[in-house]
């Protein structure tokens, strides 16, 4: 953020709730660092069709989309990338000369966070959970050539998603490990349930790379146990920053300052 003037580009996040979103802190740190004339705000949106009309009417430059609008926004846009369509969820809107395109950077963000720690192609990956995050991350990993097994507590829900994705499925109660990579997409371990673990620590073997998308706390019990056992771990802030960095690059055409963004997010988390 430099001085706000008539050419300041306006960005934001549409969601409900958005009061705890770390996206404004992250994107504004990047604008400030690069001297980019942009501002990013949080909009608590209940009426998503009207909010999309507002993007057009006010010529907003780019929007992040979060719960509960990631799916319902699809038909309101002019175009949706094949990846976002396949995932069935949009977390990013790009406004190019009034044409609104929906994309999904959660998927590529998760893959980039993992690729910093390990190659993914041909690896056996267990993805815990069967919600929207499991879907985005599972597709991303499959596109990179990983062999994905979805592991879920509720069997019909897990089987349904695995069938749609053409991934393997394993009920959580039968899960016995044996994978190269484990990715937790469930909320187990998130504040205030910080004692919870999505799988028992006995299943974590030292050769495993363990990633958690939960970032509150930054080191979940799963990641702490994995680290103690000698696993390489990837925290939830890594994925959050990468999904934001990919948005930033699409919106501004400039390389995102990853370290600045991560530092801003970590500082904001410490103050929470
Ligand atoms: P999102 O769309 O954000 O990924 P979601 O749709 O609420 O979130 O999905 C949450 C996933 O986490 C579900 O797969 C859920 O399992 P169930 O299908 O059995 O409900 C899983 N989950 C949440 N809390 C869990 C826990 N304590 N242990 C195991 N799985 C859990």
């Amino acid at each position: 953020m430099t001085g706000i003037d008539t050419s300041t580009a306006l960005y934001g996040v549409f969601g409900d709730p958005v009061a705890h979103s770390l996206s404004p802190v992250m994107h504004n740190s990047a604008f400030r660092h690069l001297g980019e004339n942009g501002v990013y705000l949080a909009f608590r949106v209940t009426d998503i069709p009207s909010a999309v009309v507002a993007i057009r009417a006010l010529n907003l430059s780019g929007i992040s989309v979060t719960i509960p609008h990631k799916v319902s926004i699809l038909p309101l846009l002019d175009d949706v990338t094949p990846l976002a369509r396949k995932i069935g969820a949009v977390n990013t809107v790009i406004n190019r000369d009034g044409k609104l395109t929906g994309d999904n950077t959660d998927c590529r963000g998760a893959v980039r966070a993992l690729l910093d720690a390990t190659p993914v192609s041909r690896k056996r990956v267990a993805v815990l959970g069967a919600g929207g995050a499991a879907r985005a991350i599972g597709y991303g990993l499959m596109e990179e050539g990983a062999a994905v097994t979805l592991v879920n507590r509720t069997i019909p829900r897990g089987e349904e998603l695995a069938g749609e994705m053409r991934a393997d499925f394993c009920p959580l109660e039968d899960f016995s490990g044996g994978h190269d990579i484990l990715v937790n997409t469930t909320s187990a371990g998130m504040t205030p349930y910080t004692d919870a673990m999505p799988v028992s620590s006995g299943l974590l073997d030292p050769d495993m790379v363990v990633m958690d998308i939960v970032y509150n706390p930054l080191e979940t019990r799963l990641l702490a146990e994995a680290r103690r056992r000698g696993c390489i771990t990837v925290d939830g802030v890594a994925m959050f920053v990468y999904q934001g960095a990919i948005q930033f690059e699409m919106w501004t055409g400039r390389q995102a300052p990853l370290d600045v963004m991560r530092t801003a997010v970590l500082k904001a988390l410490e103050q929470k």
Side-chain angles (χ1 to χ4, degrees):
M1 250 181 303
T2 51
I4 293 175
D5 59 21
T6 51
S7 49
T8 301
L10 184 55
Y11 301 84
V13 53
F14 288 174
D16 185 20
V18 279
H20 297 288
S21 172
L22 295 169
S23 293
V25 159
M26 176 170 68
H27 284 290
N28 287 321
S29 76
F31 288 139
R32 234 184 342 259
H33 180 77
L34 295 178
E36 180 82 16
N37 193 357
V39 173
Y40 185 108
L41 302 175
F43 297 99
R44 182 168 167 228
V45 166
T46 50
D47 176 354
I48 191 70
S50 299
V52 172
V53 170
I55 302 178
R56 300 179 196 277
L58 302 176
N59 196 28
L60 307 184
S61 300
I63 291 293
S64 310
V65 185
T66 187
I67 289 168
H69 305 306
K70 285 185 178 187
V71 177
S72 53
I73 198 170
L74 258 83
L76 305 170
L77 302 171
D78 300 314
D79 199 10
V80 173
T81 61
L83 177 68
R85 196 166 289 288
K86 194 166 159 188
I87 297 166
V90 159
N91 81 326
T92 310
V93 178
I94 303 136
N95 181 355
R96 288 219 168 84
D97 302 322
K99 185 182 169 201
L100 305 186
T101 300
D103 201 351
N104 191 307
T105 68
D106 287 331
C107 168
R108 278 168 285 157
V111 170
R112 275 174 70 173
L114 253 185
L115 283 175
D116 279 348
T118 174
V120 166
S121 176
R122 294 168 194 262
K123 293 294 169 87
R124 293 161 305 166
V125 187
V127 175
L128 308 180
R135 194 186 174 94
I137 294 169
Y139 271 127
L141 294 172
M142 287 171 80
E143 282 206 345
E144 288 292 317
V148 170
T149 303
L150 281 190
V151 179
N152 201 47
R153 183 177 59 183
T154 305
I155 295 175
R157 190 177 183 195
E159 276 179 343
E160 191 184 335
L161 181 59
E164 215 179 297
M165 293 174 58
R166 300 187 191 187
D168 289 333
F169 175 69
C170 177
L172 182 59
E173 60 182 350
D174 299 340
F175 182 62
S176 57
H179 291 74
D180 305 307
I181 301 172
L182 181 87
V183 182
N184 176 46
T185 76
T186 78
S187 51
M190 194 190 289
T191 304
Y193 305 107
T194 50
D195 278 347
M197 290 260 291
V199 292
S200 82
S201 54
L203 297 177
L204 304 171
D205 95 72
D207 295 334
M208 239 183 208
V209 175
V210 179
M211 169 165 157
D212 204 330
I213 71 162
V214 172
Y215 54 74
N216 189 9
L218 182 61
E219 186 173 68
T220 57
R221 181 157 171 222
L222 173 71
L223 292 186
E225 302 265 356
R227 184 171 51 83
R228 253 176 248 129
R229 283 173 177 261
C231 305
I232 294 175
T233 61
V234 181
D235 66 46
V237 168
M239 169 177 165
F240 180 71
V241 169
Y242 272 126
Q243 65 76 32
I246 300 166
Q247 296 183 323
F248 187 91
E249 288 170 2
M250 288 193 298
W251 290 334
T252 64
R254 301 183 70 176
Q255 198 176 346
L258 284 166
D259 289 345
V260 170
M261 293 165 85
R262 183 173 169 92
T263 303
V265 170
L266 292 178
K267 199 168 142 203
L269 273 175
E270 271 169 25
Q271 287 164 357
K272 271 191 188 287

